Amino acid sequence: MRRRSVLAAVATGALAGCATSDDDQTQGTTTSEAPPPVPDTPGNDWERSGSRPDWERAADRRIDEHRRTELTVAADAGVEVEVAMLAPAYQFSTAYNVARHRALPDGHPYREWVGRLFTDAVFENAYKWRRWLQPGTHEEMHDVMTFLRERGVQVSGAPVVWQRRTEDVVPARVWDAVDAGRPDRVAALVDDHVRDLVGHWVGDHGVTEWVLVNEPLDANALARTIAPGDDRTSPAPVREWFRVANDAAPDGRYGVNEYDILAKDRPAYRDDYAALVEYLTDGDAPPDEVAFQGHTMGAAETVSADELLARLDRFAGLGDHDLVVSEFDTPGFASEQAAGDYLYRFLKTVYSHPDTVSFRLWGYWDGQHWRDDAPLFREDFSKKPGYHAYANLVFDQWWTREAGALTDGAFSTTADLGRYRITVRGDDWERHVVATVTDPSGVTVRVPTP
């Protein structure tokens, strides 16, 4: 099992592309003759009404403990230090549509905003089994993947297996085998698909984060065909798919994903998901991630910050895995302001939980959203309150840019965990390092100087 928190320093540090320092006080420090540019972070007009409520004060305390660190910059010479964040350690993600991207011209806001707002994207439909087999799909995905990576957006994958017949995501030949009562044929087809998809993308293209199985409690027709006697909380075929994926692409990280766990009040459904997670965790290839969709269709489906934390705590305690919000949105609220307020509370609470590693919006623009009601932008790309909530949290509250004087060869500041450009300046010179800062207990970065 591969916790993303353990891999973060290696993965983020590799982005710098420079020689790594041997200084054992640093995390992924690299020297840089031509330093990477500091992002122009998006602005926002989020306004707080009154003082922080109790839930937010508690969340801020957890964020201080788990998402920030004391960063010390050490140098033998110099006058001034600048600490500028390049990217967060936490993954802020979105669904992104390959077909819509290709239909829009260069410079369209849908294309431009993805690189400004997110560090990761998952293709909304292109990975789905039936779509994956269509001629030209691979080449189209490769083109869009290149576009995203050139803008600093990594690409994740979802879903590998989604067994919902009504969504037309599984090829007809698989349903033919189901209808013919041929469990061995169904098992072979699914296993081959898992090997092909993750083998191609993990091995050849470095797409390592995957929702392997989507909605297995409710959409389980293939597993039931292969093992008709299994309960939905203990399906042997799903365990097998995790083993097949790990064997085919050991560098991948694979998760299970379910809906109505962080929304609504369905305790029996949550119990079943917890039982399924425990069952998978006891297998030979346990999930690396446990994911929750997060679709919230109006005020009646919201949960309090305390209840949200309790649900996250429960699933964190079921095994050594990371937690991921995989598909959050807010269609159906009575007002955009109410939707934005809930996004703010939900995201801040999730971010404050130490076992979460990623938050994904299921789209950001009304013009490309499954309910035509995305969290951030209206059809004309005017900004909703949800945009201002999101940008305020990610780019104001959780983004560090500090400067100050060296005192006795050191400068210290509180820093949000992430990747940084650190600059030390003298009277007529400056030196830069790129450093990965992911240890909440404290990080020291030494900058070589003349």
Side-chain angles (χ1 to χ4, degrees):
M1 202 176 307
R2 298 163 295 276
R3 294 297 295 272
R4 195 180 305 186
S5 55
V6 175
L7 301 177
V10 176
T12 310
L15 294 174
C18 305
T20 302
S21 166
D22 292 328
D23 188 340
D24 60 5
Q25 297 185 58
T26 68
Q27 290 188 311
T29 305
T30 64
T31 58
S32 178
E33 294 296 330
V38 175
D40 179 18
T41 54
N44 69 91
D45 296 322
W46 184 255
E47 295 183 3
R48 182 192 308 280
S49 57
S51 60
R52 288 181 301 163
D54 289 345
W55 74 263
E56 189 169 10
R57 293 177 185 275
D60 284 335
R61 288 192 294 270
R62 291 188 298 272
I63 290 167
D64 285 341
E65 179 180 0
H66 302 297
R67 306 292 181 194
R68 295 191 172 111
T69 193
E70 185 72 7
L71 171 62
T72 299
V73 179
D76 294 330
V79 176
E80 183 185 54
V81 174
E82 181 184 26
V83 174
M85 194 173 191
L86 300 174
Y90 202 86
Q91 186 182 82
F92 296 101
S93 182
T94 184
Y96 194 72
N97 191 277
V98 170
R100 180 54 60 97
H101 171 97
R102 290 173 55 80
L104 295 171
D106 291 342
H108 188 277
Y110 185 66
R111 289 183 169 206
E112 294 302 307
W113 276 108
V114 64
R116 296 195 65 198
L117 292 172
F118 306 103
T119 63
D120 175 86
V122 65
F123 296 144
E124 186 175 1
N125 294 310
Y127 290 118
K128 292 171 182 175
W129 190 347
R130 188 168 171 272
R131 185 71 59 87
W132 162 249
L133 297 177
Q134 293 176 352
T137 295
H138 300 196
E139 293 77 13
E140 293 172 359
M141 294 168 73
H142 295 164
D143 290 345
V144 179
M145 185 178 298
T146 299
F147 170 91
L148 292 170
R149 286 177 168 171
E150 287 174 348
R151 287 152 180 79
V153 180
Q154 297 304 302
V155 180
S156 297
V160 180
V161 180
W162 188 18
Q163 308 168 71
R164 191 172 296 281
R165 192 163 193 166
T166 55
E167 294 295 329
D168 196 25
V169 292
V170 175
R173 69 176 185 272
V174 182
W175 294 122
D176 290 345
V178 169
D179 295 340
R182 300 179 61 192
D184 291 346
R185 170 69 171 161
V186 174
L189 288 169
V190 178
D191 290 355
D192 287 347
H193 168 64
V194 172
R195 291 188 193 96
D196 289 346
L197 191 63
V198 302
H200 177 85
W201 288 110
V202 177
D204 296 341
H205 297 282
V207 180
T208 57
E209 309 287 336
W210 286 90
V211 169
L212 183 67
V213 185
N214 188 41
E215 301 177 356
L217 291 181
D218 187 43
N220 49 34
L222 305 183
R224 285 189 291 104
T225 298
I226 298 167
D230 288 359
D231 187 81
R232 72 177 186 172
T233 63
S234 54
V238 177
R239 263 191 185 174
E240 176 65 8
W241 299 335
F242 275 91
R243 186 198 64 77
V244 170
N246 276 276
D247 286 350
D251 293 334
R253 300 182 71 255
Y254 306 105
V256 60
N257 189 40
E258 194 53 79
Y259 66 88
D260 284 359
I261 307 301
L262 302 184
K264 296 186 179 179
D265 186 19
R266 299 182 64 188
Y269 203 70
R270 293 196 300 275
D271 290 346
D272 280 358
Y273 193 41
L276 173 64
V277 169
E278 288 183 297
Y279 172 77
L280 297 176
T281 299
D282 288 339
D284 293 335
D288 302 298
E289 297 179 347
V290 173
F292 317 95
Q293 290 187 6
H295 300 294
T296 308
M297 313 290 188
E301 298 188 3
T302 63
V303 298
S304 70
D306 288 344
E307 175 62 20
L308 181 56
L309 275 176
R311 295 184 188 184
L312 292 169
D313 281 342
R314 178 184 186 183
F315 284 89
L318 298 179
D320 186 22
H321 45 243
D322 292 321
L323 304 182
V324 170
V325 174
S326 59
E327 303 179 28
F328 181 82
D329 55 11
T330 50
F333 275 71
S335 70
E336 291 180 348
Q337 186 62 53
D341 289 343
Y342 189 65
L343 187 156
Y344 183 95
R345 188 177 81 194
F346 188 97
L347 174 52
K348 191 165 208 179
T349 302
V350 168
Y351 183 75
S352 76
H353 194 286
D355 289 294
T356 69
V357 297
S358 176
F359 174 87
R360 176 177 297 130
L361 294 176
W362 201 244
Y364 51 95
W365 173 43
D366 282 358
Q368 183 56 55
H369 186 261
W370 68 300
R371 292 294 182 95
D372 303 320
D373 189 7
L376 305 190
F377 295 102
R378 304 179 186 96
E379 175 72 29
D380 63 359
F381 266 94
S382 57
K383 297 168 182 175
K384 296 183 178 184
Y387 164 87
H388 298 289
Y390 177 87
N392 178 265
L393 290 171
V394 176
F395 300 109
D396 281 358
Q397 296 188 35
W398 305 333
W399 200 276
T400 301
R401 185 166 185 172
E402 297 288 346
L406 278 168
T407 303
D408 297 326
F411 169 80
S412 294
T413 188
T414 300
D416 297 279
L417 302 184
R419 179 170 166 255
Y420 282 83
R421 189 188 80 181
I422 298 174
T423 302
V424 175
R425 296 185 177 92
D427 291 335
D428 57 358
W429 56 266
E430 61 181 34
R431 294 292 184 273
H432 310 275
V433 298
V434 175
T436 301
V437 176
T438 56
D439 184 353
S441 66
V443 174
T444 296
V445 175
R446 178 165 292 279
V447 180
T449 56

